[in-house]
Amino acid sequence: MVASEKQVKDINKKHKIKSQKLKQKVDASIAKATEERGLVLLITGNGKGKSTAGFGVVTRCVGHGYKAAVAQFIKGDWECGERHLLASHGVPFSVMATGFTWDTQDREGDIKAATEVWTEAKKYLADARYHVVLLDELTYMLGYKYLDKEDVIHAIINRPAEQTVVITGRGAGKDLKQIADTISEIKDEKHAYRAGIKARKGVDW
Ligand code: ATP
Ligand code: MG
């Protein structure tokens, strides 16, 4: 049944009232947020999209003309597309060169590689020129105890006040959760991999 002109008018009127009420609520909550400082964003969970989201923040930052830096733990020998793009825009990358740990099965080697990347990451975290620092896949380094947790937490909480840190990886522990301002848990509801579809260049890396 086609709505009459009057019915359409009524629907539009109701929609307008509802929208106005919602806007008032949103404006009031925006007005409550008065503090301005850099954040700790934690993107965790088993679903796909954590690193993509982290790189999204870096891209957003660079797009506004700010500086950003990236430290990648674990995924060293996957040449991710973001690296090619962002490095050509002056974003320094520090990347673990060993690849996935289940490929290497070399704990000592992994610790050494992780420590090298962390040494660079600490420099980014001490440098106020960086508006955003992405610590991609950091959670595993703490989970495996490859890096000293106290040292990592200390460097993050003592970063320059305007700097935002984005941390990605599954299974974030309580210490990272405690220092995070925003935590997003990405849920794994369905993944193409389980249907036998291969990871795709330009989509998955
Ligand atoms: P992306 O890099 O695509 O944002 P991610 O950072 O959330 O993914 P990781 O745990 O870092 O996910 O996994 C890296 C790779 O594994 C990516 O190629 C991703 O597509 C794939 N992947 C992510 N989640 C799953 C899953 N639940 N099952 C299978 N493969 C996954
Ligand atoms: Mg990832």
Coordinates of all heavy atoms in Angstrom, one line a residue, residues 65-145:
G65 N 48.9 15.5 7.7 CA 50.2 16.2 7.7 C 51.0 16.0 9.0 O 52.1 16.6 9.2
Y66 N 50.5 15.1 9.9 CA 51.3 14.7 11.1 C 52.3 13.6 10.8 O 52.1 12.9 9.8 CB 50.4 14.3 12.2 CG 49.4 15.3 12.8 CD1 48.0 15.0 12.7 CD2 49.8 16.4 13.4 CE1 47.1 15.9 13.2 CE2 48.9 17.3 13.9 CZ 47.6 17.1 13.8 OH 46.7 17.9 14.3
K67 N 53.2 13.5 11.7 CA 54.2 12.4 11.6 C 53.7 11.1 12.3 O 53.1 11.2 13.4 CB 55.6 12.8 12.2 CG 56.4 13.6 11.2 CD 57.6 14.0 11.9 CE 59.0 13.6 11.4 NZ 59.1 13.2 10.0
A68 N 54.0 9.9 11.8 CA 53.7 8.7 12.4 C 54.8 7.7 12.3 O 55.7 7.9 11.4 CB 52.4 8.1 11.8
A69 N 54.9 6.7 13.1 CA 55.9 5.7 13.0 C 55.3 4.3 13.3 O 54.3 4.2 14.1 CB 57.0 6.0 14.0
V70 N 55.8 3.3 12.7 CA 55.3 1.9 12.9 C 56.3 1.0 13.3 O 57.4 0.9 12.8 CB 54.7 1.5 11.5 CG1 54.2 0.0 11.6 CG2 53.6 2.4 11.0
A71 N 56.0 0.2 14.4 CA 56.8 -0.9 14.8 C 56.0 -2.2 14.6 O 54.9 -2.3 15.1 CB 57.3 -0.8 16.2
Q72 N 56.5 -3.2 13.9 CA 55.7 -4.4 13.6 C 56.5 -5.6 14.2 O 57.6 -5.9 13.9 CB 55.6 -4.6 12.1 CG 54.4 -3.9 11.5 CD 54.2 -4.3 10.1 OE1 55.1 -4.2 9.2 NE2 53.0 -4.8 9.8
F73 N 55.7 -6.3 15.1 CA 56.3 -7.4 15.7 C 55.7 -8.7 15.1 O 54.5 -8.7 14.8 CB 56.0 -7.4 17.2 CG 56.5 -6.2 17.9 CD1 55.8 -5.0 18.0 CD2 57.8 -6.3 18.5 CE1 56.4 -3.9 18.7 CE2 58.4 -5.2 19.1 CZ 57.7 -4.0 19.2
I74 N 56.5 -9.7 14.8 CA 56.1 -11.0 14.2 C 56.1 -11.0 12.7 O 56.8 -11.8 12.1 CB 54.8 -11.5 14.7 CG1 54.9 -11.9 16.2 CG2 54.4 -12.8 14.0 CD1 53.8 -12.7 16.8
K75 N 55.3 -10.1 12.0 CA 55.0 -10.4 10.6 C 56.1 -9.9 9.7 O 55.7 -9.4 8.6 CB 53.7 -9.6 10.3 CG 52.5 -10.4 10.7 CD 51.3 -9.5 10.6 CE 50.3 -9.8 9.6 NZ 49.2 -8.9 9.5
G76 N 57.3 -10.0 10.0 CA 58.4 -9.4 9.3 C 58.5 -9.7 7.8 O 58.6 -8.8 7.0
D77 N 58.4 -11.0 7.5 CA 58.7 -11.3 6.0 C 57.4 -11.3 5.2 O 57.5 -11.8 4.0 CB 59.5 -12.6 5.9 CG 58.9 -13.8 6.5 OD1 57.7 -13.7 7.0 OD2 59.5 -14.9 6.5
W78 N 56.3 -10.8 5.7 CA 55.2 -10.5 4.9 C 55.3 -9.1 4.4 O 55.3 -8.2 5.3 CB 53.9 -10.7 5.7 CG 53.4 -12.0 5.9 CD1 54.2 -13.1 6.2 CD2 52.1 -12.5 6.0 NE1 53.5 -14.2 6.4 CE2 52.1 -13.9 6.3 CE3 50.8 -11.9 5.9 CZ2 51.0 -14.7 6.4 CZ3 49.7 -12.7 6.0 CH2 49.8 -14.0 6.3
E79 N 55.5 -8.9 3.1 CA 55.6 -7.5 2.7 C 54.3 -6.8 2.6 O 53.6 -7.0 1.6 CB 56.4 -7.4 1.4 CG 56.1 -8.5 0.4 CD 55.7 -8.1 -1.0 OE1 55.8 -7.0 -1.3 OE2 55.1 -9.0 -1.7
C80 N 53.8 -6.2 3.7 CA 52.5 -5.7 3.7 C 52.4 -4.4 2.9 O 53.3 -3.6 2.8 CB 52.0 -5.5 5.1 SG 52.6 -4.0 6.0
G81 N 51.3 -4.2 2.2 CA 51.1 -3.1 1.3 C 51.2 -1.8 1.9 O 51.7 -0.8 1.3
E82 N 50.7 -1.7 3.2 CA 50.8 -0.4 3.9 C 52.2 0.1 4.0 O 52.4 1.3 3.9 CB 50.2 -0.6 5.3 CG 48.7 -0.9 5.4 CD 48.4 -2.4 5.5 OE1 49.3 -3.2 5.1 OE2 47.4 -2.7 6.0
R83 N 53.1 -0.8 4.2 CA 54.5 -0.4 4.4 C 55.0 0.4 3.1 O 55.6 1.4 3.2 CB 55.4 -1.6 4.6 CG 56.8 -1.2 5.0 CD 57.6 -2.4 5.4 NE 59.0 -2.1 5.6 CZ 59.9 -3.0 5.9 NH1 59.6 -4.2 6.0 NH2 61.1 -2.5 6.2
H84 N 54.7 -0.2 1.9 CA 55.2 0.5 0.7 C 54.6 1.9 0.6 O 55.3 2.8 0.3 CB 54.7 -0.4 -0.5 CG 55.3 -1.7 -0.6 ND1 56.6 -2.0 -0.4 CD2 54.7 -2.9 -0.7 CE1 56.8 -3.3 -0.4 NE2 55.7 -3.9 -0.6
L85 N 53.3 2.0 0.9 CA 52.7 3.3 0.8 C 53.2 4.3 1.8 O 53.6 5.4 1.5 CB 51.1 3.1 0.9 CG 50.3 4.4 0.9 CD1 50.2 4.9 -0.6 CD2 48.9 4.2 1.4
L86 N 53.2 3.9 3.1 CA 53.5 4.8 4.2 C 54.9 5.1 4.2 O 55.3 6.3 4.5 CB 53.0 4.2 5.5 CG 51.4 4.1 5.6 CD1 51.0 3.2 6.7 CD2 50.8 5.5 5.7
A87 N 55.8 4.2 3.9 CA 57.2 4.5 3.9 C 57.6 5.5 2.9 O 58.4 6.4 3.1 CB 58.0 3.2 3.7
S88 N 56.9 5.5 1.8 CA 57.1 6.5 0.7 C 56.5 7.9 1.1 O 56.8 8.9 0.5 CB 56.5 6.1 -0.6 OG 55.1 6.1 -0.6
H89 N 55.8 7.9 2.2 CA 55.3 9.2 2.8 C 56.1 9.5 4.1 O 55.6 10.3 4.9 CB 53.8 9.1 3.1 CG 53.0 9.3 1.8 ND1 52.8 8.3 0.9 CD2 52.3 10.4 1.4 CE1 52.1 8.8 -0.1 NE2 51.7 10.0 0.2
G90 N 57.3 9.0 4.2 CA 58.1 9.4 5.3 C 57.8 8.7 6.6 O 58.3 9.1 7.7
V91 N 57.0 7.6 6.7 CA 56.8 6.9 7.9 C 57.8 5.9 8.2 O 58.0 5.0 7.4 CB 55.4 6.3 7.9 CG1 55.1 5.5 9.2 CG2 54.3 7.3 7.6
P92 N 58.6 6.0 9.3 CA 59.6 5.0 9.5 C 59.0 3.7 10.0 O 58.0 3.7 10.7 CB 60.5 5.6 10.7 CG 59.6 6.6 11.3 CD 58.6 7.1 10.3
F93 N 59.5 2.6 9.5 CA 59.0 1.3 9.9 C 60.2 0.5 10.6 O 61.3 0.5 10.1 CB 58.6 0.5 8.6 CG 57.2 0.6 8.3 CD1 56.7 1.8 7.8 CD2 56.3 -0.5 8.4 CE1 55.4 2.0 7.4 CE2 55.0 -0.3 8.0 CZ 54.5 0.9 7.6
S94 N 59.9 -0.1 11.7 CA 60.8 -1.0 12.3 C 60.1 -2.4 12.3 O 59.0 -2.5 12.9 CB 61.2 -0.6 13.7 OG 62.1 -1.5 14.2
V95 N 60.7 -3.4 11.6 CA 60.0 -4.6 11.4 C 60.8 -5.8 11.8 O 62.0 -5.9 11.5 CB 59.6 -4.8 9.9 CG1 58.9 -6.1 9.7 CG2 58.7 -3.6 9.5
M96 N 60.2 -6.8 12.5 CA 60.9 -8.0 12.9 C 61.2 -8.8 11.6 O 60.2 -9.1 10.9 CB 60.1 -8.8 13.8 CG 60.6 -8.8 15.2 SD 59.4 -9.6 16.4 CE 59.8 -11.3 16.2
A97 N 62.4 -9.2 11.4 CA 62.7 -9.8 10.1 C 62.6 -11.4 10.1 O 62.8 -12.0 9.1 CB 64.2 -9.5 9.8
T98 N 62.1 -11.9 11.2 CA 62.1 -13.4 11.3 C 60.9 -14.1 10.8 O 60.9 -15.3 10.6 CB 62.3 -13.8 12.8 OG1 61.4 -13.1 13.6 CG2 63.7 -13.6 13.3
G99 N 59.8 -13.4 10.6 CA 58.6 -14.0 10.2 C 57.8 -14.6 11.3 O 58.2 -14.4 12.5
F100 N 56.8 -15.4 11.0 CA 56.0 -16.0 12.1 C 56.8 -16.9 13.0 O 57.6 -17.7 12.5 CB 54.8 -16.7 11.5 CG 53.7 -15.8 11.1 CD1 53.5 -15.4 9.8 CD2 52.8 -15.2 12.0 CE1 52.5 -14.6 9.4 CE2 51.8 -14.4 11.7 CZ 51.7 -14.0 10.3
T101 N 56.5 -16.9 14.2 CA 57.3 -17.7 15.2 C 57.1 -19.2 15.0 O 58.0 -20.0 15.2 CB 57.0 -17.2 16.6 OG1 57.4 -18.3 17.5 CG2 55.6 -16.9 16.9
W102 N 55.9 -19.6 14.5 CA 55.7 -21.1 14.2 C 56.5 -21.5 13.0 O 56.6 -22.7 12.8 CB 54.2 -21.5 14.2 CG 53.4 -20.6 13.3 CD1 53.1 -20.8 12.0 CD2 52.6 -19.5 13.7 NE1 52.3 -19.8 11.5 CE2 51.9 -19.0 12.6 CE3 52.4 -18.8 14.9 CZ2 51.1 -17.9 12.6 CZ3 51.6 -17.7 15.0 CH2 50.9 -17.3 13.8
D103 N 56.9 -20.5 12.2 CA 57.8 -20.9 11.1 C 59.2 -21.1 11.6 O 60.0 -22.0 11.2 CB 57.8 -19.8 10.0 CG 56.6 -19.8 9.2 OD1 55.9 -20.8 9.2 OD2 56.3 -18.8 8.5
T104 N 59.6 -20.1 12.4 CA 61.1 -20.1 12.9 C 61.3 -21.1 14.0 O 62.4 -21.8 14.0 CB 61.5 -18.7 13.3 OG1 60.7 -18.4 14.5 CG2 61.3 -17.7 12.2
Q105 N 60.4 -21.2 14.9 CA 60.6 -22.1 16.1 C 62.0 -21.9 16.8 O 62.6 -22.8 17.2 CB 60.4 -23.5 15.8 CG 59.0 -23.8 15.3 CD 58.7 -25.2 14.9 OE1 59.6 -26.0 14.8 NE2 57.4 -25.5 14.6
D106 N 62.4 -20.6 16.8 CA 63.7 -20.2 17.3 C 63.4 -19.1 18.4 O 63.4 -18.0 18.0 CB 64.6 -19.8 16.2 CG 65.9 -19.1 16.7 OD1 66.2 -19.3 17.9 OD2 66.5 -18.5 15.8
R107 N 63.2 -19.6 19.6 CA 62.8 -18.6 20.6 C 63.9 -17.5 20.9 O 63.6 -16.4 20.9 CB 62.6 -19.4 21.9 CG 61.9 -18.5 23.0 CD 61.3 -19.3 24.1 NE 60.6 -18.4 25.0 CZ 61.2 -17.8 26.0 NH1 62.5 -17.9 26.1 NH2 60.6 -16.9 26.7
E108 N 65.1 -18.0 21.0 CA 66.2 -17.0 21.2 C 66.3 -16.0 20.1 O 66.5 -14.8 20.3 CB 67.6 -17.7 21.3 CG 67.8 -18.5 22.6 CD 67.6 -17.6 23.8 OE1 68.3 -16.6 23.9 OE2 66.9 -18.0 24.7
G109 N 66.2 -16.5 18.8 CA 66.2 -15.6 17.6 C 65.1 -14.6 17.7 O 65.2 -13.5 17.3
D110 N 63.9 -15.1 18.0 CA 62.7 -14.3 18.1 C 62.9 -13.2 19.2 O 62.5 -12.0 18.9 CB 61.5 -15.1 18.5 CG 60.9 -15.9 17.3 OD1 61.4 -15.7 16.2 OD2 59.9 -16.7 17.5
I111 N 63.4 -13.5 20.3 CA 63.6 -12.6 21.4 C 64.6 -11.5 20.9 O 64.3 -10.3 21.1 CB 64.1 -13.2 22.7 CG1 63.0 -14.1 23.3 CG2 64.6 -12.2 23.7 CD1 63.4 -15.0 24.5
K112 N 65.6 -11.9 20.2 CA 66.6 -10.9 19.8 C 66.0 -10.0 18.7 O 66.1 -8.7 18.8 CB 67.8 -11.7 19.1 CG 69.0 -10.8 18.7 CD 70.1 -11.7 18.3 CE 71.2 -10.9 17.7 NZ 70.9 -10.4 16.4
A113 N 65.2 -10.5 17.8 CA 64.5 -9.7 16.8 C 63.5 -8.8 17.4 O 63.4 -7.6 17.0 CB 63.9 -10.6 15.7
A114 N 62.7 -9.3 18.4 CA 61.7 -8.5 19.1 C 62.4 -7.3 19.8 O 61.9 -6.2 19.8 CB 60.9 -9.4 20.0
T115 N 63.5 -7.6 20.5 CA 64.2 -6.6 21.2 C 64.7 -5.5 20.3 O 64.7 -4.3 20.7 CB 65.3 -7.3 22.1 OG1 64.8 -8.3 22.8 CG2 66.0 -6.3 23.0
E116 N 65.2 -5.9 19.1 CA 65.7 -4.9 18.2 C 64.6 -4.0 17.8 O 64.8 -2.7 17.7 CB 66.3 -5.6 17.0 CG 67.7 -6.1 17.2 CD 68.2 -7.0 16.1 OE1 67.6 -7.1 15.0 OE2 69.2 -7.7 16.4
V117 N 63.4 -4.5 17.5 CA 62.3 -3.7 17.1 C 61.8 -2.8 18.2 O 61.5 -1.6 18.1 CB 61.1 -4.5 16.5 CG1 59.9 -3.7 16.2 CG2 61.5 -5.3 15.3
W118 N 61.8 -3.4 19.4 CA 61.4 -2.7 20.6 C 62.3 -1.5 20.9 O 61.9 -0.4 21.3 CB 61.3 -3.6 21.8 CG 61.0 -2.9 23.1 CD1 61.7 -2.9 24.2 CD2 59.8 -2.0 23.3 NE1 61.1 -2.0 25.1 CE2 60.0 -1.5 24.6 CE3 58.7 -1.6 22.6 CZ2 59.0 -0.6 25.2 CZ3 57.8 -0.7 23.1 CH2 58.0 -0.3 24.4
T119 N 63.6 -1.7 20.7 CA 64.6 -0.6 20.9 C 64.2 0.6 20.0 O 64.3 1.8 20.4 CB 66.0 -1.1 20.6 OG1 66.2 -2.2 21.4 CG2 67.1 0.0 20.8
E120 N 63.8 0.3 18.7 CA 63.4 1.4 17.8 C 62.1 2.0 18.3 O 61.9 3.2 18.2 CB 63.3 0.8 16.4 CG 64.6 0.5 15.7 CD 65.5 1.7 15.7 OE1 65.2 2.8 15.2 OE2 66.7 1.6 16.2
A121 N 61.2 1.1 18.6 CA 59.8 1.5 19.1 C 59.9 2.5 20.3 O 59.2 3.5 20.3 CB 59.0 0.3 19.4
K122 N 60.9 2.2 21.2 CA 61.1 3.1 22.3 C 61.5 4.5 21.9 O 61.1 5.5 22.5 CB 62.1 2.4 23.3 CG 61.5 1.6 24.4 CD 62.3 1.6 25.6 CE 63.4 0.7 25.6 NZ 63.9 0.4 27.0
K123 N 62.3 4.5 20.9 CA 62.7 5.8 20.3 C 61.5 6.6 19.8 O 61.4 7.8 20.1 CB 63.8 5.7 19.2 CG 65.1 5.2 19.7 CD 66.1 5.0 18.6 CE 67.3 4.2 19.0 NZ 68.1 3.7 17.9
Y124 N 60.6 5.9 19.1 CA 59.4 6.6 18.6 C 58.6 7.1 19.8 O 58.0 8.2 19.8 CB 58.5 5.7 17.8 CG 59.2 4.9 16.6 CD1 58.7 3.7 16.2 CD2 60.2 5.5 15.9 CE1 59.3 3.0 15.2 CE2 60.7 4.9 14.8 CZ 60.3 3.6 14.4 OH 60.8 2.9 13.4
L125 N 58.5 6.3 20.8 CA 57.6 6.6 22.0 C 58.2 7.7 22.8 O 57.5 8.3 23.7 CB 57.4 5.3 22.9 CG 56.6 4.2 22.2 CD1 56.7 3.0 23.1 CD2 55.1 4.6 22.1
A126 N 59.5 8.1 22.6 CA 60.1 9.1 23.3 C 60.2 10.4 22.5 O 60.7 11.4 23.0 CB 61.5 8.7 23.8
D127 N 59.7 10.3 21.3 CA 59.9 11.4 20.3 C 58.5 12.2 20.1 O 57.6 11.6 19.4 CB 60.4 10.8 19.0 CG 60.9 11.9 18.0 OD1 60.4 13.1 18.1 OD2 61.7 11.6 17.2
A128 N 58.4 13.4 20.6 CA 57.2 14.1 20.5 C 56.8 14.5 19.1 O 55.7 15.0 18.9 CB 57.3 15.4 21.4
R129 N 57.7 14.3 18.1 CA 57.3 14.7 16.7 C 56.3 13.7 16.2 O 55.6 14.0 15.3 CB 58.6 14.6 15.8 CG 59.5 15.8 16.0 CD 60.8 15.6 15.2 NE 61.4 14.3 15.5 CZ 62.3 13.7 14.7 NH1 62.7 14.3 13.6 NH2 62.8 12.6 15.0
Y130 N 56.3 12.5 16.8 CA 55.3 11.5 16.3 C 53.9 11.6 16.9 O 53.8 11.5 18.1 CB 55.9 10.1 16.5 CG 57.1 9.8 15.7 CD1 58.3 9.5 16.3 CD2 57.0 9.9 14.3 CE1 59.4 9.3 15.5 CE2 58.2 9.7 13.5 CZ 59.4 9.4 14.1 OH 60.5 9.2 13.4
H131 N 53.0 11.9 16.1 CA 51.6 12.1 16.6 C 51.0 10.8 16.9 O 50.1 10.6 17.8 CB 50.8 12.9 15.5 CG 49.5 13.4 15.9 ND1 49.3 14.4 16.8 CD2 48.3 13.0 15.5 CE1 48.1 14.7 16.9 NE2 47.4 13.8 16.1
V132 N 51.3 9.8 16.1 CA 50.8 8.4 16.2 C 52.0 7.4 16.1 O 52.8 7.5 15.2 CB 49.7 8.1 15.2 CG1 49.4 6.6 15.1 CG2 48.5 8.9 15.4
V133 N 52.0 6.5 17.0 CA 52.9 5.3 16.9 C 52.1 4.0 16.9 O 51.3 3.8 17.8 CB 53.9 5.3 18.1 CG1 54.8 4.1 18.0 CG2 54.8 6.6 18.1
L134 N 52.3 3.2 15.9 CA 51.6 1.9 15.8 C 52.5 0.8 16.3 O 53.6 0.7 15.7 CB 51.1 1.7 14.4 CG 50.5 0.3 14.0 CD1 49.3 0.0 14.9 CD2 50.2 0.2 12.6
L135 N 52.0 0.1 17.3 CA 52.8 -1.1 17.7 C 52.0 -2.3 17.3 O 51.2 -2.8 18.1 CB 53.0 -1.0 19.3 CG 53.6 0.2 19.8 CD1 53.6 0.3 21.3 CD2 55.1 0.4 19.3
D136 N 52.2 -2.7 16.1 CA 51.4 -3.8 15.5 C 51.8 -5.2 16.0 O 53.0 -5.5 15.9 CB 51.6 -3.7 13.9 CG 50.6 -4.6 13.2 OD1 49.5 -4.8 13.6 OD2 51.0 -5.1 12.1
E137 N 50.9 -6.0 16.4 CA 51.1 -7.3 17.0 C 52.0 -7.3 18.3 O 52.6 -8.3 18.6 CB 51.8 -8.2 15.9 CG 51.4 -8.1 14.5 CD 49.9 -8.5 14.3 OE1 49.3 -9.1 15.2 OE2 49.4 -8.2 13.1
L138 N 51.9 -6.2 19.0 CA 52.7 -6.1 20.3 C 52.2 -7.2 21.3 O 53.0 -7.7 22.1 CB 52.6 -4.7 20.8 CG 53.3 -4.6 22.2 CD1 54.8 -4.5 22.0 CD2 52.9 -3.3 22.9
T139 N 50.9 -7.5 21.3 CA 50.4 -8.3 22.4 C 51.1 -9.6 22.5 O 51.3 -10.1 23.6 CB 48.9 -8.6 22.1 OG1 48.7 -9.2 20.8 CG2 48.0 -7.3 22.2
Y140 N 51.5 -10.2 21.4 CA 52.2 -11.5 21.4 C 53.5 -11.4 22.2 O 54.0 -12.4 22.8 CB 52.4 -12.1 20.0 CG 51.1 -12.1 19.2 CD1 50.8 -11.1 18.3 CD2 50.1 -13.0 19.5 CE1 49.6 -11.1 17.6 CE2 48.9 -13.0 18.8 CZ 48.7 -12.0 17.9 OH 47.5 -12.0 17.2
M141 N 54.2 -10.3 22.0 CA 55.5 -10.1 22.6 C 55.4 -10.2 24.1 O 56.4 -10.7 24.8 CB 56.2 -8.8 22.1 CG 56.3 -8.7 20.7 SD 57.3 -10.0 19.9 CE 56.1 -11.0 19.2
L142 N 54.3 -9.7 24.6 CA 54.1 -9.8 26.1 C 53.6 -11.1 26.5 O 54.0 -11.7 27.5 CB 53.1 -8.7 26.5 CG 53.6 -7.2 26.2 CD1 52.6 -6.2 26.8 CD2 55.0 -7.0 26.6
G143 N 52.7 -11.7 25.6 CA 52.2 -13.0 25.9 C 53.3 -14.1 26.0 O 53.3 -14.9 26.8
Y144 N 54.2 -14.0 25.0 CA 55.3 -15.0 25.0 C 56.5 -14.6 25.9 O 57.5 -15.3 26.0 CB 55.9 -15.1 23.6 CG 55.0 -15.6 22.5 CD1 55.2 -15.1 21.2 CD2 54.1 -16.6 22.7 CE1 54.3 -15.5 20.1 CE2 53.3 -17.0 21.7 CZ 53.4 -16.5 20.4 OH 52.6 -16.9 19.4
K145 N 56.3 -13.4 26.6 CA 57.4 -12.9 27.4 C 58.7 -12.7 26.7 O 59.8 -12.8 27.2 CB 57.6 -13.8 28.6 CG 56.4 -14.0 29.5 CD 56.8 -14.6 30.9 CE 55.7 -14.6 31.9 NZ 54.4 -14.9 31.6

